Amino acid sequence: MKPYKKQMLPIIIIMMLVGAITKLTIPLLIREAIDNSIIPKDKNLLFLIVGIMLTVYVIQWLANTFRIKYTNMIGQRVIYDLRHDLFSHIQKLSFRFFDTRPAGSVLVRVTNYVNSLQDLFTNGVVNLLIDVVQLCGIIIILLTFNFKLGASIIVTVPIMFLISTQLRKKIRRAWQDVTMKQSRLNAHLNECIQGIKVTQAYTQEKENIQFFNKMNMVNRLSWNRASMLNQSFGPLIEITGAVGYCILFWLGAHLIQTEEISVGLLVAFATYIGYFWEPITRLGQMYSQLLIAMASAERIFEFIDEEPTVAEIEGAKDLSSIQGNVKFENLVFEYEPGRPALKGINLDVQAGQSIALVGHTGSGKSTIMNLLCRFYDPNEGKILIDGQDIRHVTIQSLRSQIGVVLQDTFIFSGTIRDNIRFGRLDATNEEIELVAKAVHAHDFIMSLPAGYDTEVQERGNVLSMGQRQLISFARALLANPRVLILDEATASIDTDTELKIQEALKTLLAGRTSFIVAHRLSTIRNADKIVVLDHGRMMEIGNHDELMKEQKIYFGLIQAQYKFLQDAV
Ligand SMILES: Nc1ncnc2c1ncn2[C@@H]1O[C@H](COP(=O)(O)OP(=O)(O)OP(=O)(O)O)[C@@H](O)[C@H]1O
């Protein structure tokens, strides 16, 4: 338990006990007032009792105020910690985890589900404790002051619990269903917003709205069902409460006649019954909140329990500064069982060489890159960097020495400078400008309204494809990795930018081992080795001239590209 919770918990418990005891004292004072001052007409004693009552109410108010204040503080800290732990955990999870979960469903766990726990941690848990303490206190008092009357009232409680147990199970399942439907709705919403441009381009808005409405309706019906079940809880308690009052007055009247109890005690008992049903009713009302929270907690802990599939072995050592020799030995890999994406890849790359990976779509080019970065582990075989199996070194030391430039160059919201600095957080402004100049990005950055301080929104919507690429090159150059992975963008860009990108590429690749999923003929031509993949197998390897001479797959691919370019001209 964290230190702040240790410090505050005793205060909260003391305040809670003071609140509960003062509340339970009031009916006893009422009994005193009726039996010893109102009936015998003792005014002085009545004033004294009223004075004590007022003091008790003030103490109760103070205790409750402080308790609520401290409970809120502690609750907020718990939620803060939970959100932090969840986010940190998600950052570490492997690609496999995200392959099978829509972004929206991840999002909803960090936001909605954590929020629904907030109420539970701020007031819920403590209220629950207060209610339990109050209930126990009332039961003890009732049984002590008159066992016969007390027991006959209390007997209704287990009956009520028995009836409600069945109802609770149903309510629980109904709320679980609500959270599941909500999660689906959110996932769908997220996807629709991400893909809004495609939706509008294909004028699918109407269909989208219809589909969303269906999901929205399913969500509403599920909520209604859970809510209706929940509503039935209150009346059930009220009916049982009414039965309790009937027993009290029927038996109470009889006991007054036989002088076993006083009128004051009957009134005190009636007040206690009021208190008695109050926590039970509140428990019923809180029940839905508790169930939502429990269902949310289940889904949150599902994530927290999730272990990264790519894990470090015990005693993994840091990968010391590498030269950049990379060896793939008999790599076999499946994303899904029975569908191999790579079938026995063997490749020996010397430090400083550039390797172009070519092949039809789905042939396994990106998969090789994913394995080199250890986003996934191979089913068979291994990858060695400078003779060290990458599974035996720490993930951080491995990835920090491999630079990755993806086709989908992700630009984060923030300034251009921040986006380049992502490559190395301690880089100075001068270093940032230096790399931007080296990749020919400086001029276009300076032409933006605030130069390097221009704010770009998430995904860099204000920048062109080519500009985004140049920024990601600058980012990679700043990180200065020994091994570079580059997924070349396929989108056609204007000749001027194309030339800039070629120049930038030369700077970026110089002196590094590089793997490029190459689409541009110029990049492929300049590569030291070209690896041709087909359906997860390495079919050909050699430089451009060697492979052209062989006149096999590579030759065919190049011919097709030339034909395409000629037709385009
Ligand atoms: N996350 C994934 N889950 C399941 N299967 C996948 C996943 N990613 C890729 N695959 C499958 O693995 C195979 C190889 O995919 P890969 O992305 O490596 O191809 P690629 O050569 O890079 O294709 P492209 O040129 O289109 O990017 C394909 O059959 C693809 O369907």
Side-chain angles (χ1 to χ4, degrees):
M1 194 179 268
K2 305 240 163 125
Y4 58 82
K5 290 173 208 156
K6 271 191 196 158
Q7 286 160 12
M8 286 187 192
L9 260 186
I11 304 179
I12 292 174
I13 291 174
I14 292 171
M15 294 295 150
M16 186 194 84
L17 286 175
V18 171
I21 292 169
T22 45
K23 189 163 188 184
L24 294 181
T25 317
I26 301 289
L28 295 180
L29 290 169
I30 293 176
R31 186 189 73 155
E32 277 304 304
I34 293 175
D35 289 346
N36 298 328
S37 63
I38 295 176
I39 295 176
K41 296 193 174 122
D42 183 344
K43 260 193 195 168
N44 289 341
L45 186 63
L46 187 63
F47 280 131
L48 181 68
I49 294 174
V50 170
I52 296 173
M53 259 190 200
L54 276 176
T55 318
V56 170
Y57 273 122
V58 171
I59 295 173
Q60 191 185 347
W61 173 76
L62 282 173
N64 287 345
T65 309
F66 280 106
R67 173 182 52 77
I68 291 169
K69 181 181 158 189
Y70 285 118
T71 327
N72 279 338
M73 271 163 73
I74 210 172
Q76 288 304 328
R77 295 295 290 266
V78 171
I79 293 300
Y80 170 87
D81 285 345
L82 185 64
R83 207 173 268 141
H84 168 269
D85 291 351
L86 193 58
F87 184 76
S88 314
H89 187 68
I90 290 171
Q91 295 282 307
K92 288 187 218 134
L93 289 175
S94 311
F95 275 33
R96 254 187 216 286
F97 173 85
F98 296 101
D99 283 346
T100 50
R101 283 172 188 81
S105 103
V106 179
L107 205 79
V108 84
R109 282 172 215 231
V110 190
T111 52
N112 294 18
Y113 292 168
V114 172
N115 285 349
S116 65
L117 284 188
Q118 187 159 325
D119 293 337
L120 182 73
F121 280 117
T122 43
N123 283 313
V125 175
V126 177
N127 279 344
L128 199 80
L129 279 177
I130 294 175
D131 289 343
V132 171
V133 169
Q134 245 187 59
L135 270 177
C136 294
I138 295 170
I139 290 174
I140 293 169
I141 292 174
L142 289 185
L143 293 177
T144 323
F145 279 80
N146 190 292
F147 188 82
K148 210 191 284 174
L149 190 57
S152 48
I153 301 165
I154 292 164
V155 106
T156 52
V157 180
I159 298 170
M160 190 211 73
F161 272 112
L162 255 163
I163 301 169
S164 64
T165 317
Q166 287 309 313
L167 196 61
R168 278 172 205 218
K169 268 192 208 150
K170 277 193 185 167
I171 297 178
R172 186 180 149 83
R173 271 188 226 117
W175 284 118
Q176 271 171 342
D177 189 58
V178 171
T179 50
M180 200 179 70
K181 300 259 157 66
Q182 248 175 3
S183 167
R184 281 192 198 148
L185 187 78
N186 280 304
H188 179 69
L189 187 67
N190 183 58
E191 196 177 308
C192 286
I193 293 169
Q194 300 271 359
I196 189 77
K197 288 183 182 166
V198 182
T199 305
Q200 292 186 354
Y202 284 86
T203 57
Q204 294 291 317
E205 296 93 328
K206 225 173 165 183
E207 286 72 11
N208 248 6
I209 293 170
Q210 275 172 2
F211 190 76
F212 183 80
N213 274 350
K214 260 190 223 160
M215 291 188 90
N216 202 7
M217 179 59 81
V218 168
N219 188 46
R220 188 181 126 193
L221 293 177
S222 166
W223 184 279
N224 280 352
R225 191 175 163 270
S227 174
M228 263 170 59
L229 280 170
N230 208 50
Q231 300 302 321
S232 54
F233 208 92
L236 187 81
I237 292 163
E238 272 168 31
I239 291 168
T240 327
V243 173
Y245 275 116
C246 290
I247 297 174
L248 173 77
F249 288 115
W250 179 77
L251 190 64
H254 176 71
L255 292 177
I256 287 175
Q257 276 167 8
T258 56
E259 293 189 352
E260 267 183 70
I261 62 165
S262 64
V263 178
L265 192 74
L266 184 76
V267 177
F269 267 40
T271 320
Y272 278 127
I273 292 186
Y275 286 178
F276 197 58
W277 303 118
E278 198 182 88
I280 295 186
T281 316
R282 203 166 39 222
L283 282 177
Q285 282 164 354
M286 233 195 74
Y287 198 60
S288 64
Q289 183 195 337
L290 196 71
L291 289 177
I292 296 177
M294 270 164 62
S296 300
E298 256 173 52
R299 312 217 84 196
I300 289 173
F301 284 107
E302 245 173 55
F303 265 26
I304 292 193
D305 289 344
E306 191 83 36
E307 291 292 333
T309 44
V310 174
E312 271 173 15
I313 57 159
E314 217 165 283
K317 291 204 181 77
D318 278 350
L319 180 66
S320 46
S321 289
I322 56 169
Q323 295 284 314
N325 297 300
V326 181
K327 197 170 181 188
F328 298 89
E329 273 185 22
N330 217 8
L331 276 194
V332 175
F333 178 71
E334 293 173 347
Y335 287 102
E336 290 156 10
R339 276 191 63 216
L342 293 180
K343 306 166 187 165
I345 303 291
N346 285 295
L347 185 61
D348 204 346
V349 183
Q350 303 305 312
Q353 279 189 326
S354 64
I355 309 296
L357 298 169
V358 296
H360 293 291
T361 179
S363 55
K365 305 179 292 284
S366 307
T367 306
I368 295 189
M369 311 275 197
N370 283 340
L371 295 187
L372 181 56
C373 290
R374 261 202 98 192
F375 292 136
Y376 301 85
D377 278 334
N379 295 62
E380 284 173 38
K382 57 184 170 187
I383 301 174
L384 307 164
I385 294 188
D386 288 357
Q388 287 196 69
D389 190 330
I390 61 170
R391 270 185 295 196
H392 297 161
V393 299
T394 58
I395 293 176
Q396 206 273 337
S397 70
L398 170 75
R399 290 191 190 148
S400 65
Q401 297 191 63
I402 300 179
V404 186
V405 179
L406 297 172
Q407 196 181 55
D408 176 16
T409 48
F410 200 95
I411 302 290
F412 294 96
S413 53
T415 62
I416 299 267
R417 198 190 303 280
D418 293 339
N419 266 288
I420 300 178
R421 189 173 273 133
F422 203 76
R424 184 158 55 82
L425 297 180
D426 61 359
T428 62
N429 287 349
E430 288 71 35
E431 285 174 310
I432 289 174
E433 288 190 22
L434 216 63
V435 291
K437 278 182 187 152
V439 298
H440 303 277
H442 180 75
D443 290 347
F444 100 78
I445 296 175
M446 290 313 285
S447 71
L448 294 170
Y452 283 85
D453 293 316
T454 307
E455 289 279 340
V456 281
Q457 294 309 312
E458 188 186 301
R459 297 199 152 255
N461 284 345
V462 292
L463 301 173
S464 74
M465 267 290 279
Q467 290 171 336
R468 272 184 256 172
Q469 259 211 313
L470 290 180
I471 289 192
S472 66
F473 284 1
R475 193 190 272 169
L477 190 62
L478 189 67
N480 196 20
R482 295 300 309 146
V483 177
L484 185 80
I485 292 176
L486 188 122
D487 205 341
E488 229 178 31
T490 40
S492 52
I493 35 183
D494 64 82
T495 347
D496 190 35
T497 319
E498 168 80 38
L499 280 174
K500 273 189 188 152
I501 286 181
Q502 285 311 319
E503 284 297 310
L505 259 180
K506 267 191 212 155
T507 317
L508 190 61
L509 303 184
R512 306 175 208 283
T513 313
S514 51
F515 295 86
I516 314 160
V517 173
H519 299 290
R520 291 188 181 85
L521 280 177
S522 50
T523 319
I524 304 175
R525 234 178 220 284
N526 295 333
D528 295 317
K529 272 187 198 171
I530 299 160
V531 174
V532 184
L533 290 164
D534 190 37
H535 291 96
R537 276 188 211 289
M538 239 172 69
M539 305 305 282
E540 292 168 27
I541 182 163
N543 63 28
H544 175 76
D545 295 335
E546 288 162 1
L547 295 184
M548 284 305 276
K549 262 190 223 139
E550 281 186 22
Q551 298 211 351
K552 289 186 190 159
I553 301 177
Y554 180 73
F555 180 79
L557 284 170
I558 295 296
Q559 292 268 310
Q561 273 217 15
Y562 270 128
K563 187 167 181 317
F564 174 75
L565 287 177
Q566 272 169 359
D567 287 351
V569 172

